[in-house]
Amino acid sequence: MRIVLGVGGGIAAYKVASLLRLFTEAGHNVTVIPTEVSTRFVGTATWEALSGNPVSNSVFDDVHQVNHVRLGHEADLVVIAPATADLLAKAATGQAGDLLTNTLLMARGPVLFAPAMHTEMWQHAATRANVEMLRTRGAAVLEPATGRLTGADSGPGRLPEPQVIFDAAMALVQGQTDYQLPLAGRTVTISAGGTREPLDPVRFLGNRSSGKQGVALAVAARNAGATVRLLAAHMEVPVPAGVDVVPVETALQLREAALAAAADSDVIIMSAAVADFRPAEVSDTKIKKRDDSADPVITLVRNPDILHELVELRNSALPNAAGPAGDHQLIVGFAAETGDSHGDVLAYAQAKLQRKGCDLLVVNHVGSDKVFGQDTNSVVILARSGSEPQEAAGTKTEVAAAIISRIGFELNHVSPRA
Ligand SMILES: Cc1cc2nc3c(=O)[nH]c(=O)nc-3n(C[C@H](O)[C@H](O)[C@H](O)COP(=O)(O)O)c2cc1C
């Protein structure tokens, strides 16, 4: 496929090098057209070297080829990233002052804009009108991600991750009208890893959670277009790029972070292994081993049920949210269950789903060698909406994709919020 990749003059231009790589590695022939301003952020040498094609931003280069006509005609797809407020305005009003805007007017294939700018610029009535105009004319305009912007500020306006733009572009070329990814514009909070409950300055009570499933969920949610906040307890895997990380250690710290994150989360996935109990007392000094004294006794106290508290908080914020998926926040719990002589795993899990009041419950059937630390997983997803339980098995990446896709379905088709 022949792709024209227009690069606007925003700070996020550097991220477009990764997007270009995704296109070329998928076998596409990419011509990059950087605007004059964008070359102050990333030079043309980068685009020429990475694309393997000559780069120009003037209609007066290689005039014998009439480049804007040729490129516009040949392009199977035009992607503009970052689409600055200025470029959106120029495209919406049909301006043709440089090679990129001329090419946009010539192009007859799908056009995808991936905006990036400060929140105020994105929300300005002028930009809203330009985006509306472009969408009305059939162009695809992605919702920007929410998160850290150029300075210390954050909000909607961040360039979607390169993989997100790539996936949306491929969906658009295949004629899919829902090129907006299932979690575009949504904020997803995910807890991952295992909590550690201190006994003294050197010892803790922990668990075997590696964080692999939670991290796979974070990657899948990010790739589905969400802004992802990862509440990271102890993990044996690195945190992925493109997600905001809030490190936590204990169940109480995780509770505090989760309740704070709930305020702006569309989805909360509680996949961390949270200790049910913690030592009642934490010694300030290392508990000593003395030959003459009795064995130490550790008294445990219950940790709060964070999932239950999140559901209560959600329901109290909106008392009528008792519908199948709630109408403003989707809460997903994880349960590790074993069957016994009184009931099978699913029966216990169904009871837990009703008791906890979350919208989806992802159930692991745990056994001696299953789940913890492994690269594969096998789960059943139960929904409070009463729809059929859904099984997902495979690598943790595959299981995460199934869970995120189910969440997208619940948000976009089941919840009244959609
Ligand atoms: C450091 C810096 C960062 C900028 N980031 C953005 C941005 O992310 N989005 C945007 O719309 N404009 C941004 N601007 C302003 C644009 O550069 C300016 O509007 C320019 O005219 C856009 O040119 P273009 O049409 O070639 O994209 C930034 C300017 C500076 C100096």
Side-chain angles (χ1 to χ4, degrees), residues 237-249:
V237 284
V239 294
V243 309
D244 292 332
V245 179
V246 180
V248 296
E249 185 172 350

Side-chain angles (χ1 to χ4, degrees), residues 7-13 34-41 82-88 90 98 100-101 115-118 121 150 157 159:
V7 183
I11 197 92
T35 65
E36 184 73 39
V37 173
S38 82
T39 59
R40 298 179 69 145
F41 293 90
T84 55
D86 187 53
L87 262 181
L88 290 171
K90 284 176 175 158
D98 61 8
L100 180 57
T101 45
M117 65 199 71
H118 269 85
M121 292 172 88
T150 310
L159 185 74

Side-chain angles (χ1 to χ4, degrees), residues 1-5 20 23-25 27-34 43-57 61-62 65 67 70-71 74-75 77 99:
M1 187 161 67
R2 285 180 183 273
I3 299 174
V4 166
L5 178 57
L20 171 56
F23 283 138
T24 54
E25 277 172 13
H28 303 300
N29 184 343
V30 186
T31 298
V32 181
I33 309 181
T44 51
T46 298
W47 306 124
E48 257 183 56
L50 289 180
S51 70
N53 279 322
V55 168
S56 158
N57 51 31
D61 285 341
D62 300 320
Q65 295 196 44
N67 265 336
R70 181 181 63 81
L71 288 166
E74 286 177 1
L77 167 73
L99 180 61

